[in-house]
PDB file of all heavy atoms in Angstrom:
ATOM      1  N   GLU M 324     -17.189 -61.017 -65.524  1.00 86.00           N
ATOM      2  CA  GLU M 324     -16.360 -60.620 -64.393  1.00 86.00           C
ATOM      3  C   GLU M 324     -16.556 -61.565 -63.222  1.00 86.00           C
ATOM      4  O   GLU M 324     -17.646 -62.085 -62.999  1.00 86.00           O
ATOM      5  CB  GLU M 324     -16.709 -59.201 -63.944  1.00 86.00           C
ATOM      6  CG  GLU M 324     -16.206 -58.132 -64.859  1.00 86.00           C
ATOM      7  CD  GLU M 324     -16.490 -56.729 -64.323  1.00 86.00           C
ATOM      8  OE1 GLU M 324     -17.325 -56.591 -63.402  1.00 86.00           O
ATOM      9  OE2 GLU M 324     -15.869 -55.792 -64.823  1.00 86.00           O
ATOM     10  N   GLY M 325     -15.487 -61.744 -62.471  1.00 84.00           N
ATOM     11  CA  GLY M 325     -15.568 -62.523 -61.253  1.00 84.00           C
ATOM     12  C   GLY M 325     -16.093 -61.670 -60.107  1.00 84.00           C
ATOM     13  O   GLY M 325     -16.312 -60.470 -60.257  1.00 84.00           O
ATOM     14  N   SER M 326     -16.269 -62.293 -58.981  1.00 89.00           N
ATOM     15  CA  SER M 326     -16.712 -61.554 -57.792  1.00 89.00           C
ATOM     16  C   SER M 326     -15.662 -60.502 -57.445  1.00 89.00           C
ATOM     17  O   SER M 326     -14.460 -60.734 -57.595  1.00 89.00           O
ATOM     18  CB  SER M 326     -16.905 -62.510 -56.620  1.00 89.00           C
ATOM     19  OG  SER M 326     -17.925 -63.429 -56.912  1.00 89.00           O
ATOM     20  N   MET M 327     -16.128 -59.352 -56.970  1.00 91.00           N
ATOM     21  CA  MET M 327     -15.228 -58.248 -56.665  1.00 91.00           C
ATOM     22  C   MET M 327     -15.520 -57.681 -55.281  1.00 91.00           C
ATOM     23  O   MET M 327     -16.621 -57.833 -54.761  1.00 91.00           O
ATOM     24  CB  MET M 327     -15.376 -57.137 -57.706  1.00 91.00           C
ATOM     25  CG  MET M 327     -15.055 -57.582 -59.106  1.00 91.00           C
ATOM     26  SD  MET M 327     -15.397 -56.301 -60.295  1.00 91.00           S
ATOM     27  CE  MET M 327     -13.796 -55.649 -60.539  1.00 91.00           C
ATOM     28  N   CYS M 328     -14.503 -57.054 -54.714  1.00 91.00           N
ATOM     29  CA  CYS M 328     -14.688 -56.318 -53.462  1.00 91.00           C
ATOM     30  C   CYS M 328     -13.793 -55.087 -53.498  1.00 91.00           C
ATOM     31  O   CYS M 328     -12.808 -55.048 -54.233  1.00 91.00           O
ATOM     32  CB  CYS M 328     -14.369 -57.187 -52.244  1.00 91.00           C
ATOM     33  SG  CYS M 328     -12.613 -57.484 -51.954  1.00 91.00           S
ATOM     34  N   SER M 329     -14.175 -54.082 -52.746  1.00 92.00           N
ATOM     35  CA  SER M 329     -13.329 -52.889 -52.641  1.00 92.00           C
ATOM     36  C   SER M 329     -12.991 -52.660 -51.182  1.00 92.00           C
ATOM     37  O   SER M 329     -13.810 -52.898 -50.293  1.00 92.00           O
ATOM     38  CB  SER M 329     -14.023 -51.673 -53.252  1.00 92.00           C
ATOM     39  OG  SER M 329     -15.202 -51.377 -52.549  1.00 92.00           O
ATOM     40  N   ILE M 330     -11.776 -52.215 -50.963  1.00 92.00           N
ATOM     41  CA  ILE M 330     -11.249 -52.021 -49.613  1.00 92.00           C
ATOM     42  C   ILE M 330     -10.796 -50.571 -49.475  1.00 92.00           C
ATOM     43  O   ILE M 330     -10.078 -50.061 -50.340  1.00 92.00           O
ATOM     44  CB  ILE M 330     -10.062 -52.974 -49.354  1.00 92.00           C
ATOM     45  CG1 ILE M 330     -10.545 -54.413 -49.354  1.00 92.00           C
ATOM     46  CG2 ILE M 330      -9.367 -52.643 -48.061  1.00 92.00           C
ATOM     47  CD1 ILE M 330      -9.426 -55.409 -49.315  1.00 92.00           C
ATOM     48  N   GLU M 331     -11.235 -49.930 -48.412  1.00 92.00           N
ATOM     49  CA  GLU M 331     -10.803 -48.564 -48.097  1.00 92.00           C
ATOM     50  C   GLU M 331      -9.628 -48.627 -47.132  1.00 92.00           C
ATOM     51  O   GLU M 331      -9.730 -49.238 -46.076  1.00 92.00           O
ATOM     52  CB  GLU M 331     -11.941 -47.783 -47.436  1.00 92.00           C
ATOM     53  CG  GLU M 331     -13.097 -47.478 -48.337  1.00 92.00           C
ATOM     54  CD  GLU M 331     -12.885 -46.228 -49.165  1.00 92.00           C
ATOM     55  OE1 GLU M 331     -12.030 -45.398 -48.800  1.00 92.00           O
ATOM     56  OE2 GLU M 331     -13.559 -46.108 -50.188  1.00 92.00           O
ATOM     57  N   LEU M 332      -8.530 -48.014 -47.501  1.00 91.00           N
ATOM     58  CA  LEU M 332      -7.370 -47.916 -46.615  1.00 91.00           C
ATOM     59  C   LEU M 332      -6.962 -46.455 -46.500  1.00 91.00           C
ATOM     60  O   LEU M 332      -6.938 -45.733 -47.501  1.00 91.00           O
ATOM     61  CB  LEU M 332      -6.193 -48.742 -47.143  1.00 91.00           C
ATOM     62  CG  LEU M 332      -6.384 -50.253 -47.214  1.00 91.00           C
ATOM     63  CD1 LEU M 332      -5.157 -50.907 -47.825  1.00 91.00           C
ATOM     64  CD2 LEU M 332      -6.658 -50.832 -45.848  1.00 91.00           C
ATOM     65  N   ASN M 333      -6.645 -46.053 -45.295  1.00 91.00           N
ATOM     66  CA  ASN M 333      -6.159 -44.698 -45.051  1.00 91.00           C
ATOM     67  C   ASN M 333      -5.082 -44.782 -43.976  1.00 91.00           C
ATOM     68  O   ASN M 333      -5.309 -44.438 -42.824  1.00 91.00           O
ATOM     69  CB  ASN M 333      -7.307 -43.784 -44.625  1.00 91.00           C
ATOM     70  CG  ASN M 333      -6.873 -42.340 -44.556  1.00 91.00           C
ATOM     71  OD1 ASN M 333      -5.845 -41.964 -45.108  1.00 91.00           O
ATOM     72  ND2 ASN M 333      -7.640 -41.532 -43.865  1.00 91.00           N
ATOM     73  N   PHE M 334      -3.909 -45.276 -44.373  1.00 90.00           N
ATOM     74  CA  PHE M 334      -2.802 -45.465 -43.445  1.00 90.00           C
ATOM     75  C   PHE M 334      -2.089 -44.134 -43.199  1.00 90.00           C
ATOM     76  O   PHE M 334      -2.095 -43.259 -44.059  1.00 90.00           O
ATOM     77  CB  PHE M 334      -1.807 -46.482 -44.000  1.00 90.00           C
ATOM     78  CG  PHE M 334      -2.268 -47.915 -43.904  1.00 90.00           C
ATOM     79  CD1 PHE M 334      -3.541 -48.250 -43.496  1.00 90.00           C
ATOM     80  CD2 PHE M 334      -1.402 -48.936 -44.227  1.00 90.00           C
ATOM     81  CE1 PHE M 334      -3.947 -49.573 -43.416  1.00 90.00           C
ATOM     82  CE2 PHE M 334      -1.791 -50.264 -44.146  1.00 90.00           C
ATOM     83  CZ  PHE M 334      -3.073 -50.588 -43.743  1.00 90.00           C
ATOM     84  N   PRO M 335      -1.420 -44.002 -42.062  1.00 89.00           N
ATOM     85  CA  PRO M 335      -0.644 -42.783 -41.801  1.00 89.00           C
ATOM     86  C   PRO M 335       0.489 -42.606 -42.815  1.00 89.00           C
ATOM     87  O   PRO M 335       0.917 -43.566 -43.467  1.00 89.00           O
ATOM     88  CB  PRO M 335      -0.064 -43.019 -40.396  1.00 89.00           C
ATOM     89  CG  PRO M 335      -0.853 -44.124 -39.812  1.00 89.00           C
ATOM     90  CD  PRO M 335      -1.387 -44.929 -40.941  1.00 89.00           C
ATOM     91  N   ARG M 336       0.981 -41.379 -42.922  1.00 89.00           N
ATOM     92  CA  ARG M 336       2.056 -41.082 -43.886  1.00 89.00           C
ATOM     93  C   ARG M 336       3.338 -41.838 -43.587  1.00 89.00           C
ATOM     94  O   ARG M 336       4.190 -42.001 -44.452  1.00 89.00           O
ATOM     95  CB  ARG M 336       2.350 -39.577 -43.880  1.00 89.00           C
ATOM     96  CG  ARG M 336       1.245 -38.729 -44.442  1.00 89.00           C
ATOM     97  CD  ARG M 336       1.674 -37.268 -44.528  1.00 89.00           C
ATOM     98  NE  ARG M 336       2.268 -36.776 -43.304  1.00 89.00           N
ATOM     99  CZ  ARG M 336       1.602 -36.143 -42.330  1.00 89.00           C
ATOM    100  NH1 ARG M 336       0.320 -35.943 -42.465  1.00 89.00           N
ATOM    101  NH2 ARG M 336       2.228 -35.723 -41.249  1.00 89.00           N
ATOM    102  N   GLU M 337       3.493 -42.312 -42.355  1.00 89.00           N
ATOM    103  CA  GLU M 337       4.718 -43.004 -41.962  1.00 89.00           C
ATOM    104  C   GLU M 337       4.813 -44.420 -42.526  1.00 89.00           C
ATOM    105  O   GLU M 337       5.846 -45.063 -42.424  1.00 89.00           O
ATOM    106  CB  GLU M 337       4.830 -43.093 -40.431  1.00 89.00           C
ATOM    107  CG  GLU M 337       4.990 -41.755 -39.738  1.00 89.00           C
ATOM    108  CD  GLU M 337       3.675 -41.013 -39.556  1.00 89.00           C
ATOM    109  OE1 GLU M 337       2.600 -41.661 -39.533  1.00 89.00           O
ATOM    110  OE2 GLU M 337       3.699 -39.778 -39.462  1.00 89.00           O
ATOM    111  N   ILE M 338       3.738 -44.945 -43.106  1.00 89.00           N
ATOM    112  CA  ILE M 338       3.741 -46.296 -43.682  1.00 89.00           C
ATOM    113  C   ILE M 338       4.336 -46.214 -45.085  1.00 89.00           C
ATOM    114  O   ILE M 338       3.830 -45.494 -45.940  1.00 89.00           O
ATOM    115  CB  ILE M 338       2.317 -46.890 -43.734  1.00 89.00           C
ATOM    116  CG1 ILE M 338       1.680 -46.915 -42.350  1.00 89.00           C
ATOM    117  CG2 ILE M 338       2.330 -48.265 -44.369  1.00 89.00           C
ATOM    118  CD1 ILE M 338       2.318 -47.859 -41.373  1.00 89.00           C
ATOM    119  N   THR M 339       5.425 -46.969 -45.337  1.00 91.00           N
ATOM    120  CA  THR M 339       6.092 -46.898 -46.642  1.00 91.00           C
ATOM    121  C   THR M 339       5.463 -47.842 -47.673  1.00 91.00           C
ATOM    122  O   THR M 339       5.490 -47.538 -48.858  1.00 91.00           O
ATOM    123  CB  THR M 339       7.590 -47.238 -46.522  1.00 91.00           C
ATOM    124  OG1 THR M 339       7.734 -48.519 -45.911  1.00 91.00           O
ATOM    125  CG2 THR M 339       8.317 -46.200 -45.700  1.00 91.00           C
ATOM    126  N   TYR M 340       4.922 -48.974 -47.236  1.00 91.00           N
ATOM    127  CA  TYR M 340       4.249 -49.879 -48.165  1.00 91.00           C
ATOM    128  C   TYR M 340       3.334 -50.821 -47.398  1.00 91.00           C
ATOM    129  O   TYR M 340       3.446 -50.978 -46.183  1.00 91.00           O
ATOM    130  CB  TYR M 340       5.247 -50.699 -48.999  1.00 91.00           C
ATOM    131  CG  TYR M 340       6.070 -51.680 -48.201  1.00 91.00           C
ATOM    132  CD1 TYR M 340       5.537 -52.899 -47.772  1.00 91.00           C
ATOM    133  CD2 TYR M 340       7.392 -51.415 -47.879  1.00 91.00           C
ATOM    134  CE1 TYR M 340       6.286 -53.803 -47.037  1.00 91.00           C
ATOM    135  CE2 TYR M 340       8.152 -52.309 -47.151  1.00 91.00           C
ATOM    136  CZ  TYR M 340       7.583 -53.499 -46.738  1.00 91.00           C
ATOM    137  OH  TYR M 340       8.333 -54.395 -46.006  1.00 91.00           O
TER     138      TYR M 340
END
Side-chain angles (χ1 to χ4, degrees):
E324 286 184 344
S326 297
M327 300 174 99
C328 75
S329 63
I330 294 171
E331 292 276 341
L332 296 177
N333 188 17
F334 284 7
R336 292 186 311 266
E337 295 81 24
I338 303 293
T339 56
Y340 66 78

